[in-house]
Amino acid sequence: MMFPTAEAQALCEVGRLFGERQWCLATGGNFSVRVDDSHLLITRSGTDKARLTAEGLMLCDLDGAPADRRLRPSAETALHTAVYALDEKAGAVLHTHSVTSTVVSRAAANDIVIQGFEMQKSIDEVASHDERLILPVLENSQNLAQLAGIVRQRYALGHLRARGFLVRGHGLYAWGNDLDGAKRHLEGLEFLLSCLWQECLLHGGAP
C-alpha cells in the first residue's frame, strides 16, 4: 500500500510535541496510528521523537510484521498490536517515558486509584470527577509477548477502562479512537499522575 502521508504528518506532529515536553528522551517512547483494517503506522526503533519525521515511521501489519523487511519497528510493537486487537475502535496508541509516569509507576504498590480530579473527564466515558478511575500498573518484562499477554488478561477483566496503563519503571501507554483521542487521553493521564505525585510530595506516602 502507499505510505499514508496525512497520517504520517499528524503522527510526527504529536511525536515532536511530546518530545519537546521531554516525555520521551533518548529515543524513548513509541507512537502508532491505525491506517486501515490491516495496517498501522509506527515509529521505527531508535528515532528521536523531538525531531520525528516521516523517515522515522514505518508500516506494519496488525501482527507487527513490517511491510519493508529491511526496517526495524519499535521493540514495543507487540503492545501496540495487542491494543488494536483487543479494541476494534482503537485508532492510535501512544507511549511516553516521562519522568513523572516512570517514577509513579515505581512508587505505586498496586494499580493507581484516581478520584476527585476534574481532569478525569478527559478520558472517554468518564462523566464525573466522583468516578473511581483505575490505572493498571503492569510489571515490566523484556519478554514483550508475555507483557502483551498480561495486557490481554487485564482487558478481559475490564481493567483498562482508563484507556491506558503503566509499565513499572518504563512509562505510560494510552490509546483512543483516533490520534486526537489518544493524545487527549495521554495528556490527561500525564496530568493526573503529576497531580498525584505532587500530593505525595506534599503529604508523604505513595500513589
Side-chain angles (χ1 to χ4, degrees), residues 16-181:
R16 290 193 295 267
L17 175 64
F18 289 170
E20 290 166 1
R21 291 178 183 173
Q22 299 191 329
W23 286 358
C24 38
L25 292 169
T27 74
N30 40 77
F31 312 120
S32 70
V33 62
R34 193 198 297 257
V35 295
D36 61 25
D37 291 339
S38 305
H39 297 88
L40 59 93
L41 194 63
I42 192 166
T43 46
R44 293 172 57 182
S45 182
T47 55
D48 181 351
K49 307 309 181 297
R51 297 185 291 178
L52 188 62
T53 66
E55 286 70 30
L57 305 176
M58 60 183 294
L59 282 167
C60 290
D61 66 22
L62 292 181
D63 292 320
D68 184 342
R69 299 305 176 99
R70 298 170 299 177
L71 302 179
R72 188 161 63 98
S74 164
E76 286 91 11
T77 298
L79 297 183
H80 291 249
T81 57
V83 171
Y84 290 122
L86 291 166
D87 186 352
E88 64 180 13
K89 293 182 180 179
V93 180
L94 306 174
H95 168 46
T96 49
H97 285 201
S98 74
V99 172
T100 298
S101 66
T102 304
V103 170
V104 170
S105 74
R106 285 170 54 88
N110 300 294
D111 292 349
I112 294 172
V113 178
I114 303 171
Q115 191 170 24
F117 293 97
E118 188 70 12
M119 187 62 80
Q120 290 170 220
K121 296 194 298 186
S122 66
I123 308 301
D124 284 349
E125 300 178 18
V126 176
S128 170
H129 66 284
D130 287 327
E131 294 190 38
R132 193 167 180 266
L133 190 64
I134 307 297
L135 183 64
V137 180
L138 312 184
E139 295 301 326
N140 198 6
S141 173
Q142 298 306 302
N143 185 333
L144 274 302
Q146 181 184 66
L147 193 53
I150 295 171
V151 171
R152 289 191 288 271
Q153 292 170 10
R154 298 300 297 269
Y155 187 91
L157 293 170
H159 293 176
L160 299 184
R161 180 169 173 259
R163 303 296 199 282
F165 56 85
L166 286 168
V167 179
R168 196 179 301 280
H170 191 158
L172 175 66
Y173 280 83
W175 60 92
N177 293 351
D178 53 26
L179 186 56
D180 287 341

